[in-house]
Amino acid sequence: MKGKCVHRCTHVLDLDKTLDFYERALGLTETRRMGPDDGSWIIVFISNDTTPFEIELTWNEGRTEPYDNGGRDTHLAFRVPDMQAARKLHDEMGCVVHDNPTMGLYFIADPDGCWLEILPLED
């Protein structure tokens, strides 16, 4: 049997702020949304045209305590076509949380503290 990775769920406290972050930082936009009529929870899937993989953002009404989305060692990785431009943008956004120039990568954090590894495109 072979499984295909299709999405990763992360829980968020401020859905609009998180959607804005992912669109600005990585060009990920909403592909679909679901939830009950009472609005007690919302799930939004985000992606872009470079991959079919999605991030599932789950928001729950009334939640005020931060979620444990796995800590810093649990992260998603993104390859970007222009590391200098990406780094400049992420520095301007103030979201760079760890730099590893020896390995040619760095990490940013989303509004809920989830770490995202930024790598150059493979040759």
Side-chain angles (χ1 to χ4, degrees):
M1 178 174 72
K2 294 182 181 180
K4 179 181 177 182
C5 190
V6 294
H7 74 260
R8 183 203 195 277
C9 175
T10 187
H11 292 267
V12 304
L13 291 178
D14 185 329
L15 184 57
D16 290 333
K17 182 178 180 179
T18 302
L19 286 167
D20 288 343
F21 170 85
Y22 277 98
E23 182 169 6
R24 181 170 179 211
L26 296 163
L28 301 173
T29 58
E30 183 174 329
T31 58
R32 66 188 185 285
R33 159 184 307 239
M34 64 183 70
D37 290 339
D38 69 5
S40 58
W41 57 268
I42 300 170
I43 294 175
V44 176
F45 289 89
I46 59 175
S47 188
N48 62 33
D49 61 1
T50 63
T51 179
F53 185 83
E54 297 176 307
I55 298 175
E56 173 188 330
L57 303 174
T58 300
W59 173 85
N60 292 294
E61 182 180 45
R63 175 75 181 220
T64 58
E65 293 297 316
Y67 289 95
D68 179 1
N69 282 309
R72 298 186 306 205
D73 289 332
T74 302
H75 64 271
L76 291 171
F78 293 86
R79 293 204 178 269
V80 297
D82 185 338
M83 283 292 282
Q84 286 183 314
R87 181 58 190 253
K88 182 177 185 287
L89 171 64
H90 297 147
D91 281 338
E92 289 170 1
M93 292 176 67
C95 60
V96 176
V97 292
H98 181 72
D99 193 15
N100 189 332
T102 303
M103 294 181 71
L105 59 89
Y106 64 94
F107 289 84
I108 62 176
D110 76 8
D112 290 277
C114 294
W115 280 31
L116 309 164
E117 183 177 357
I118 307 301
L119 301 158
L121 287 179
E122 293 176 314
D123 293 330

